Every structure is written in structure tokens, then in C-alpha cells.
Amino acid sequence: MGIIVQKFGGTSVADPQKIHNVAKAALREQKNGSQVVVVVSAMGHTTDYLVSLAKEVTQNPSPREMDMLLSTGEQVSIALLSMAIQAEGGKSISMNATQVGIITESVHGMARILDVKTEKITKNLDKGRIVVIAGFQGITPDGEITTLGRGGSDTSAVAIAAALNADRCDIYTDVDGIYTADPRIVPTVQKLEQISYEEMLELARVGANVLHPRSVETAKQCNVLMRVRSSFKLEDMGTLILGVDEMEIYKPVAGTAADTSQVRIVLTHVKDAPGNAALLFGKLAENNISVDMIIQSFGRTSGSNDIAFTVNKEDKNQTVKICESLLPELDKSGEVYVDEDIAKVSIVGAGMVDRPGIAAAMFRALADVGINIKMISTSEIKISCLIEKGNEKLAIKTLCKEFNLDCEEAAVVNGDLPPGETK
Ligand code: ADP
Ligand code: ASP
Ligand code: MG
């Protein structure tokens, strides 16, 4: 008998009625002849609430205690869902990451999964039970509780599917598939029947928060067949994510995304000498700070360059501190500037490889609506532009038009936010 892993996000388990609907969806899959594992997130906005609660207690909570706190959200959902399945006449058992054995690195707040023990899951599946597992959390080899980063339940589900060699991992959410842009930004975007792992991974990394990037990475590595589908329209097959070589067609641009979670840091007058960039970015890496876009200016006469780069907002203060501490070594006349008014917009498509003109078309389209580009970065299948914050919705709408990614019909979005408002 094949195994199906279903994952339901926060909106899908936001209240008791919705939890009953999820119970019915799991039982329906079991009746269709599969063994079923359900991975759930915390109810509604519980994790946001827990984060704000911690911030009321202290502005500087320890990462270990944050994980202790945040992991409780998912534990509430698994117990309630298991009760609901039993109340619907089914057999089930809930398990947290410690009970299953979801082993992660010893890093708090963004741990990677190293191993998923399958013994207890399969034992319970073989007894005819639906196994309900807490997403987003793990346990270190020393028994410490960890979390996988915001949105990480997707990754829990895919890792469990990979370990169990499941037939499929269905990510049920509040939209009925992957669209060419966030349907809350552009309501008339196209739904994709399929998208490649490579494109979805880039989209998730550049801000399409419909999937946690590491879930796509894991699915690609372990060949897990993955679908994104609606919790509210169970018969809809959503969007299939598969290898680029299995795609029937691909357009030059498959999708777009906006990201407003970064800040730009500028260091002026960095001495034009070997080792200075290595010193700066080495120090940031040592402190676990990920850098995204980087530009080094061409200092023609002064023997020094300006270096600009982007980091996540949460890393702003620490980054500034590190940069200031390095100034005496880099150049005494240097200064550190912070630019918080930025947004990054990106286009992604496997079809842009070896196709000239896509970047020029993107820059022209943005220019035509008066949007200035502050920084640019590219990969083989992605082009990102840093623009002024506040312009991202116009930019995404413009890019959807430019690359034929919109349509007449409005997308199907369920949840507590009207189209046009981002989370
Ligand atoms: P869940 O709580 O189920 O994990 P998320 O909020 O993490 O749900 O992800 C679903 C949301 O992702 C949607 O409500 C939508 O606003 C957003 N989203 C961003 N980009 C896209 C996209 N390209 N296609 C579909 N949804 C997207
Ligand atoms: N509850 C966690 C969060 O809100 C994990 C998830 O939803 O995937 O980020
Ligand atoms: Mg999510």
C-alpha cells in the first residue's frame, strides 16, 4: 500500500471547523487506499502571536527559548487534529518531532533536518492509523528542541515523505496552486499546471512564500513528487512540481516574486586591495549572516571602492556592528550606510537560459512605469532588481504584463486577507 503525506498550513487548521475538514480530507485519502501521514502547522497566526509574546517579555530572547516557545504551536494542532479524526470515526495518533525522531542540526531558529526515523511512523500506519506529525520542529542529537525557520512545516512534510518513500507529498494551502505571481498582489495571475523544482526553488528563494525553499530543495534531491493544492477545493489537483526534463513546455519566464524582507548596507571607501572583500564577507559568514545581492563599485581614481550588499532585516543591527568594527582595517575614511527602503523583484524561468533580451525587456518595462533600479543580480534562470520600497506591487503587475503571466480570471484565494493585501 502506498503512502501519501499531506501537509496543511496555518489557515487550513485555523479553527475547529477547519480542523474537522482536514480530518475528513485525511480520511478520504485513506479510504482511497493509501496509508496517510498528515503534517500540520500551528493554527492560524499562532506562531506570529508567540513571536510577539516573546518580544513583550524581552527584546532579546535566547534562540533556545524561542524554539521551546514556537514549537508549542504545532503541538496544539496535532492533538486537536488527531481528536477530530477519531471523532469522525477514524484511527489516528499524534506525534511531535521528538517522538518521531526528526533529527536536526544543533542550530536554533533555522535548523536543517539531518534524518527522519521511520520506525514509529510505519508501525502506526500498519495498525491502520493516520499519523499526525508536528511540522516546523525537530530535535538535535542531544535532545534539544529546534525549529526549521518560518514556513518550515513544508520542509518537515517533504523530509518525512522522502524518508518513507511516499508516493506523493501534497501541500494543502489557502490558494489552489502555484501562480505566476502572488495572487494577493496581482489577482489576475495564471495558475501553473506544473513547474520545475529548479524554477520553484528560485521563486521560493526570491520571496514566493507559498513554499519553504528547503522543501523544494529536499523534494528535488530525494525525487519526491510534490503538489501544491487547496485545502478548500479537495478535488482540484493544484500544481505539480517535477524535474525540468519532465516538463511539457516552459516559457522564458515562469513566474515573478517580490521580497520586502531585506535591507541594503553600503560601505564606502573600502581600500582597493586583495583580501578586503574576503575579510568583510568572511566575518559576516562567521556570524551566520547570509548575504544576498552584492555590488562593488569601480573606484577609478581614489584607490577605493564602495561595496553595497543586502541582508535580512533581522540581521541589520549585527551586520552594521560588524561593518563598523572592520572600518579601521578597511579604510579609516569609510562610512556605513543603511537603506531600509528597498524591495527586490525577480523573474524566474528555465526558458531564459541562452535567450538574450529577457533582462533588457525587464529593465525597459520597469523604466516605462518610472521605476528606478538600484541593484541587479542574476543566476542562470533568475533576474532580480532592487527597487524602492512601495513600488513592488506596480513592478510585479508590470512584469506579469510584460511576460504574459496574467489572465482575465481572478485567482482562487481563501483565507483572512482580501486579494491585494500581502501577509
Ligand atoms: P500555509 O499557511 O498554508 O503554509 P502560506 O501563507 O505559507 O500558507 O503560503 C500560501 C500563500 O503564499 C498564499 O496565500 C499566497 O498569498 C502566497 N504566495 C506567494 N507567491 C505565490 C505564488 N506564486 N503562487 C501562489 N501563492 C503564492
Ligand atoms: N508555524 C510555522 C510558521 O508560522 C511553520 C509553518 O507554518 O510552516 O512559520
Ligand atoms: Mg507556508
Side-chain angles (χ1 to χ4, degrees):
M1 197 187 282
I3 299 175
I4 302 278
V5 176
Q6 301 181 312
K7 180 259 167 177
F8 291 87
T11 320
S12 313
V13 291
D15 58 44
Q17 183 55 48
K18 289 191 174 127
I19 290 176
H20 266 282
N21 291 343
V22 169
K24 285 180 191 144
L27 285 163
R28 189 172 110 143
E29 198 71 78
Q30 195 186 41
K31 277 207 187 88
N32 286 342
S34 301
Q35 293 188 317
V36 180
V37 175
V38 188
V39 175
V40 273
S41 298
M43 292 171 71
H45 298 290
T46 301
T47 311
D48 291 336
Y49 166 70
L50 293 172
V51 171
S52 65
L53 205 56
K55 290 271 154 74
E56 278 181 43
V57 172
T58 164
Q59 275 306 307
N60 210 3
S62 95
R64 179 188 185 274
E65 301 311 333
M66 273 312 271
D67 277 355
M68 286 298 278
L69 178 69
L70 298 192
S71 61
T72 60
E74 272 67 15
Q75 194 149 331
V76 171
S77 321
I78 54 169
L80 292 175
L81 178 57
S82 187
M83 288 175 199
I85 294 170
Q86 291 164 11
E88 298 282 344
K91 292 203 283 184
S92 69
I93 182 166
S94 65
M95 286 197 234
N96 63 22
T98 307
Q99 290 167 311
V100 173
I102 301 178
I103 314 297
T104 72
E105 301 167 329
S106 301
V107 174
H108 288 293
M110 52 171 185
R112 281 178 174 267
I113 295 178
L114 301 173
D115 191 21
V116 177
K117 310 277 182 219
T118 55
E119 199 189 315
K120 282 193 194 143
I121 306 177
T122 43
K123 211 164 90 189
N124 280 289
L125 288 174
D126 291 343
K127 287 185 181 158
R129 292 175 177 156
I130 292 174
V131 180
V132 182
I133 301 178
F136 181 53
Q137 55 178 260
I139 182 154
T140 69
D142 303 339
E144 288 292 311
I145 290 174
T146 53
T147 60
L148 313 181
R150 297 302 306 269
S153 299
D154 298 332
T155 300
S156 311
V158 174
I160 291 167
L164 291 169
N165 206 6
D167 289 349
R168 211 173 59 232
C169 182
D170 284 336
I171 307 287
Y172 287 89
T173 184
D174 56 5
V175 278
D176 60 353
I178 311 280
Y179 282 80
T180 50
D182 187 340
R184 294 183 197 270
I185 297 183
V186 188
T188 53
V189 273
Q190 290 165 23
K191 183 171 140 186
L192 300 165
E193 291 294 310
Q194 25 176 262
I195 186 167
S196 64
Y197 294 120
E198 291 79 359
E199 289 166 316
M200 192 58 236
L201 183 55
E202 283 284 14
L203 273 177
R205 281 184 180 148
V206 296
N209 60 5
V210 61
L211 284 177
H212 193 238
R214 283 215 300 275
S215 69
V216 189
E217 206 175 85
T218 309
K220 181 171 179 258
Q221 264 166 18
C222 305
N223 252 321
V224 175
L225 202 60
M226 197 176 174
R227 269 188 188 280
V228 172
R229 48 199 300 190
S230 169
S231 311
F232 306 94
K233 274 171 64 193
L234 295 180
E235 60 304 328
D236 191 307
M237 289 307 279
T239 301
L240 180 65
I241 306 173
L242 74 185
V244 74
D245 44 342
E246 297 163 73
M247 294 277 292
E248 280 156 22
I249 36 161
Y250 45 79
K251 296 199 278 189
V253 178
T256 64
D259 182 359
T260 51
S261 67
Q262 297 188 344
V263 293
R264 177 165 69 149
I265 311 285
V266 185
L267 252 111
T268 63
H269 296 284
V270 176
K271 239 183 285 165
D272 196 7
N276 277 344
L279 173 68
L280 169 63
F281 294 110
K283 257 279 165 324
L284 295 174
E286 260 172 45
N287 286 276
N288 249 328
I289 297 174
S290 296
V291 174
D292 182 17
M293 299 169 113
I294 303 176
I295 284 188
Q296 178 169 308
S297 72
F298 175 48
R300 230 166 10 134
T301 50
S302 62
S304 70
N305 297 311
D306 294 347
I307 296 183
F309 58 93
T310 61
V311 294
N312 279 335
K313 273 179 194 162
E314 300 88 69
D315 293 328
K316 181 187 83 177
N317 292 341
Q318 210 191 349
T319 304
V320 170
K321 243 190 228 157
I322 291 171
C323 290
E324 284 174 348
S325 74
L326 291 175
L327 278 180
E329 267 178 87
L330 296 173
D331 193 310
K332 287 196 184 60
S333 60
E335 279 176 279
V336 181
Y337 292 100
V338 179
D339 180 4
E340 305 203 44
D341 284 330
I342 56 158
K344 185 174 76 173
V345 289
S346 308
I347 56 172
V348 170
M352 69 171 75
V353 178
D354 295 332
R355 214 171 187 142
I358 303 289
M362 179 182 191
F363 305 154
R364 167 57 46 211
L366 293 176
D368 284 348
V369 292
I371 295 177
N372 188 38
I373 299 170
K374 297 181 177 210
M375 284 169 102
I376 298 166
S377 78
T378 61
S379 77
E380 214 181 13
I381 65 165
K382 175 210 76 184
I383 305 167
S384 298
C385 294
L386 205 71
I387 60 172
E388 195 161 326
K389 196 186 232 148
N391 278 337
E392 62 278 7
K393 285 187 186 173
L394 173 63
I396 293 293
K397 278 184 191 153
T398 303
L399 295 172
C400 283
K401 233 192 215 112
E402 175 66 28
F403 296 106
N404 297 319
L405 301 176
D406 53 3
C407 65
E408 297 293 303
E409 259 174 70
V412 178
V413 181
N414 287 286
D416 49 5
L417 288 172
E421 279 184 36
T422 41
K423 288 188 172 183

